[in-house]
Amino acid sequence: MSRDYSHRLIVQEVAPRDGLQIEPKWVDTDDKIALIDKLSTCGFTRIEAGSFVSPKAIPALRDGDEVFHRIARRPGVIYVALIPNVKGAERALAAHADELNLVMSASQTHNRANMRMSCEASLAGFGDIVRLAAGSKVSLNATIATAFGCPFEGRIDEDRVVAIADTYREMGMHGITLADTTGMANPRQVARLVERVLERVPADALTLHFHNTRGLGLANVLAAYDAGARRFDAALGGLGGCPFAPGASGNICTEDLVNLCDETGIPTGIDLPALIELSRALPALVGHDVPGQLAKAGRNGDLHKAPDYVHAI
Amino acid sequence: MSRDYSHRLIVQEVAPRDGLQIEPKWVDTDDKIALIDKLSTCGFTRIEAGSFVSPKAIPALRDGDEVFHRIARRPGVIYVALIPNVKGAERALAAHADELNLVMSASQTHNRANMRMSCEASLAGFGDIVRLAAGSKVSLNATIATAFGCPFEGRIDEDRVVAIADTYREMGMHGITLADTTGMANPRQVARLVERVLERVPADALTLHFHNTRGLGLANVLAAYDAGARRFDAALGGLGGCPFAPGASGNICTEDLVNLCDETGIPTGIDLPALIELSRALPALVGHDVPGQLAKAGRNGDLHKAPDYVHAI
């Protein structure tokens, strides 16, 4: 089976948002800004830099306004903000976010647990945000969370996911993300769903968001890429975690993903040694080990010195 | 791209050998035997139960003779022993191992570092073992270590790997393993090399041995499976590690692999809930957390209770 590895894979770095949001230790605003500014020099074209949610709900990201105002905007980089509602959208527009990422779960139960509203209420809010953003230069992305499975409901009907994608497009969303929020996707399912969604959404408007909760993150990326997907979320160091699975891995790890691409020849435009250096500074920032593996193992090309006795054999 | 998930995937459990060999804490012989006996009831057809190497080189496995004598042999399960030399083969035959697994690295430097001899000396020893085993019922497998990369030499010429496979077959080896000893393989390379080797070795005689050092273990399994490979080594809990990458992951994790198969519909014949239970007992056995993720996250079907407030929305 011959595959085509020549298409560029776009990585959207989400550590400043999906990575940091569940960290129990407060990360200083200056440190967040320094991290984002360093990420901006690594070759990313998209960085999810923060969220505008209730400070009570996500205290770790309560400084989103200041972060967005003070980061050094690098030309060619789109700085994305996660938005739960109209109030968050107003704050994000005031902070000059380039793109708003709205979230609704395919699972009613998960949406009620996560957003504290029904899917219908979420969609009504999305309509308000579309009207608010009209006339501004901001672009809109809408995420379908739990698109590959729900930790409360289990399997999610693929027709429902496809129908939500249609609804998002009809509402005027520029981009759509299929999110495997708690790492339940498998490569066979990913290939099938990506193929169906790409029949209605162009590849440059579709993002895949995988967690590595059950070790399948990079296998799912390859299955999606083989099916035509080109844009992927990933978090430096594999930050993120899952509140339902203590000790389980978080988002797919950016440097592990870029290493996969470098080794297979998939172009990303991202500077892997710079990423590894940033990742190795993460444990000091968040106060614990992180799941990413490349920063521990090094790249294939980082050769080891053979023991002296081999020369005597 | 349509794929065929209907072929059975054979998992050879290697935790008792490749998993335990680098553990610093001594695991009692009784505990090793209990682990192997429990693994024997999980549906495996192949278990690498120990090795017959110098007790000075691998003290953790110095009780291989007693382990092989005392385990409860389950009909239908092949109990494999890793063998470094003729002396080890004699011990393994005396202990009634069903299969001997011989190892040589494709990389001269790695073979000298690991086996303390040249590749030519390894092959000469293999010839002695073939003669020793002739007339017995034992089957012989030979592993090509560092087949996908060497931590000292870097890239390994694929022609060399294919030539070694030919040599092994000409010597009378029944099975051949391609081992990614330090987790340097990528899916594109795996597909290419597996296709080439399957032109000369039947699928039921070829095993792939992957480490998850850089997070690509299960992606490599799928690439190999898609290319026609059917037999894979894996270690309960992802035990194993890599002496050159502290903190990096070890062998691909058996229960993570079986979960991938269960979710995609690939038959394995292995009892996943029983495996998870065994894996969850590993930290107490080895004295530290293990890298496997499924035992932490649970299966997709292990649903969580939604928070009470969702019912009021």
Side-chain angles (χ1 to χ4, degrees):
Chain A
M1 190 184 304
S2 186
R3 289 177 188 156
D4 183 355
Y5 294 85
S6 67
H7 298 281
R8 179 165 178 172
L9 186 151
I10 306 288
V11 184
Q12 171 163 285
E13 171 58 52
V14 301
R17 202 282 300 170
D18 201 16
L20 293 182
Q21 71 175 7
I22 68 154
E23 290 298 332
K25 179 184 167 230
W26 169 250
V27 175
D28 281 338
T29 306
D30 285 351
D31 290 333
K32 285 177 182 141
I33 292 166
L35 175 63
I36 294 165
D37 287 351
K38 284 180 190 154
L39 288 167
S40 292
T41 68
C42 290
F44 294 104
T45 53
R46 308 177 60 84
I47 298 174
E48 198 167 83
S51 69
F52 293 91
V53 300
S54 152
K56 278 186 198 156
I58 310 280
L61 298 183
R62 63 177 182 265
D63 52 357
D65 310 81
E66 188 179 352
V67 167
F68 266 85
H69 274 114
R70 288 180 47 209
I71 51 174
R73 305 290 179 105
R74 191 180 176 92
V77 181
I78 295 163
Y79 296 90
V80 181
L82 185 94
I83 302 299
N85 51 32
V86 175
K87 190 177 168 192
E90 288 169 348
R91 286 171 60 200
L93 290 176
H96 305 296
D98 299 310
E99 181 171 309
L100 311 187
N101 182 20
L102 323 180
V103 181
M104 180 187 80
S105 304
S107 150
Q108 275 282 4
T109 310
H110 190 270
N111 203 59
R112 286 163 196 251
N114 192 41
M115 309 304 291
R116 301 199 175 223
M117 60 179 106
S118 68
C119 291
E120 293 70 24
S122 281
L123 287 176
F126 286 8
D128 294 338
I129 293 170
V130 168
R131 283 183 286 279
L132 178 72
S136 77
K137 284 188 295 182
V138 78
S139 64
L140 297 177
N141 187 83
T143 291
I144 308 175
T146 66
F148 300 91
C150 168
F152 309 123
E153 294 187 7
R155 288 179 194 276
I156 295 294
D157 183 357
E158 290 177 10
D159 290 342
R160 175 167 171 80
V161 177
V162 171
I164 295 172
D166 284 342
T167 301
Y168 282 179
R169 293 290 284 180
E170 287 158 12
M171 294 181 83
M173 303 298 173
H174 309 106
I176 290 176
T177 297
L178 300 178
D180 183 27
T181 310
T182 60
M184 296 171 72
N186 72 69
R188 185 177 191 174
Q189 172 193 31
V190 166
R192 199 171 50 220
L193 193 53
V194 166
E195 280 170 12
R196 286 190 64 183
V197 172
L198 284 177
E199 289 167 4
R200 44 244 299 158
V201 178
D204 64 4
L206 178 65
T207 301
L208 276 292
H209 176 104
F210 293 121
H211 281 236
N212 197 36
T213 317
R214 291 168 177 86
L216 293 175
L218 296 184
N220 286 331
V221 169
L222 271 188
Y225 181 85
D226 283 342
R230 299 291 174 253
R231 274 168 52 170
F232 296 87
D233 285 351
L236 188 73
L239 283 178
C242 168
F244 306 111
S249 195
N251 286 272
I252 58 167
C253 169
T254 309
E255 62 271 23
D256 292 6
L257 170 59
V258 174
N259 178 63
L260 163 62
C261 293
D262 282 5
E263 291 294 320
T264 52
I266 298 173
T268 65
I270 294 170
D271 179 348
L272 184 53
L275 267 192
I276 292 172
E277 193 181 323
L278 274 185
S279 178
R280 287 178 176 159
L282 276 182
L285 191 68
V286 297
H288 58 79
D289 187 26
V290 298
Q293 294 182 222
L294 193 74
K296 292 163 188 145
R299 292 184 296 165
N300 282 1
D302 300 334
L303 299 183
H304 295 259
K305 190 178 173 300
D308 286 336
Y309 63 77
V310 306
H311 305 296
I313 293 169
Chain B
M1 192 183 303
S2 187
R3 291 176 187 156
D4 183 355
Y5 295 85
S6 67
H7 299 280
R8 180 165 177 173
L9 186 151
I10 307 288
V11 183
Q12 170 163 283
E13 173 58 51
V14 302
R17 201 281 301 170
D18 200 16
L20 293 182
Q21 71 176 8
I22 69 155
E23 289 298 332
K25 180 185 166 227
W26 170 249
V27 175
D28 281 339
T29 306
D30 286 351
D31 291 332
K32 285 178 183 140
I33 291 165
L35 175 63
I36 295 165
D37 287 351
K38 284 180 192 154
L39 288 167
S40 292
T41 69
C42 290
F44 294 104
T45 53
R46 308 177 60 84
I47 298 174
E48 198 167 83
S51 68
F52 292 91
V53 300
S54 153
K56 278 186 198 156
I58 311 279
L61 298 183
R62 63 177 183 264
D63 53 356
D65 311 81
E66 186 178 354
V67 167
F68 266 86
H69 274 114
R70 289 180 47 208
I71 51 174
R73 306 289 179 108
R74 190 179 177 93
V77 182
I78 294 163
Y79 296 90
V80 181
L82 185 95
I83 302 300
N85 50 34
V86 176
K87 189 177 169 193
E90 289 167 348
R91 287 170 60 201
L93 290 175
H96 305 296
D98 299 311
E99 181 170 308
L100 311 187
N101 183 21
L102 322 181
V103 181
M104 180 187 80
S105 305
S107 150
Q108 276 281 6
T109 310
H110 190 270
N111 203 60
R112 286 162 195 251
N114 192 41
M115 308 306 289
R116 301 197 176 225
M117 61 179 103
S118 68
C119 291
E120 293 71 25
S122 281
L123 286 177
F126 287 7
D128 294 338
I129 294 170
V130 168
R131 283 182 287 279
L132 177 73
S136 78
K137 284 188 296 181
V138 77
S139 63
L140 296 177
N141 187 82
T143 291
I144 307 175
T146 65
F148 300 91
C150 167
F152 308 123
E153 294 187 8
R155 289 179 191 278
I156 295 294
D157 183 357
E158 290 176 10
D159 289 344
R160 175 166 171 83
V161 177
V162 171
I164 295 171
D166 284 343
T167 301
Y168 282 178
R169 294 289 285 180
E170 287 158 14
M171 294 182 83
M173 303 298 172
H174 309 107
I176 290 176
T177 296
L178 300 179
D180 182 28
T181 310
T182 59
M184 295 171 72
N186 73 70
R188 184 177 191 174
Q189 172 194 30
V190 166
R192 199 171 50 220
L193 192 53
V194 166
E195 280 170 13
R196 287 189 65 182
V197 172
L198 283 178
E199 288 168 5
R200 43 245 298 157
V201 178
D204 64 2
L206 178 66
T207 301
L208 275 293
H209 176 102
F210 293 121
H211 281 235
N212 197 35
T213 317
R214 291 167 178 87
L216 293 176
L218 296 184
N220 286 332
V221 168
L222 272 189
Y225 181 85
D226 283 341
R230 299 290 175 254
R231 273 169 51 170
F232 296 88
D233 285 351
L236 189 72
L239 282 179
C242 167
F244 305 112
S249 195
N251 285 272
I252 59 166
C253 170
T254 309
E255 62 271 24
D256 292 6
L257 171 59
V258 174
N259 177 63
L260 163 61
C261 293
D262 282 4
E263 292 293 321
T264 51
I266 299 173
T268 65
I270 295 170
D271 179 349
L272 184 54
L275 268 193
I276 293 173
E277 193 181 324
L278 274 186
S279 178
R280 287 179 176 158
L282 276 182
L285 191 68
V286 295
H288 57 79
D289 187 26
V290 298
Q293 295 183 221
L294 194 75
K296 292 164 189 146
R299 291 185 298 165
N300 282 0
D302 300 334
L303 299 184
H304 296 259
K305 189 177 173 299
D308 286 335
Y309 63 77
V310 306
H311 305 296
I313 294 169

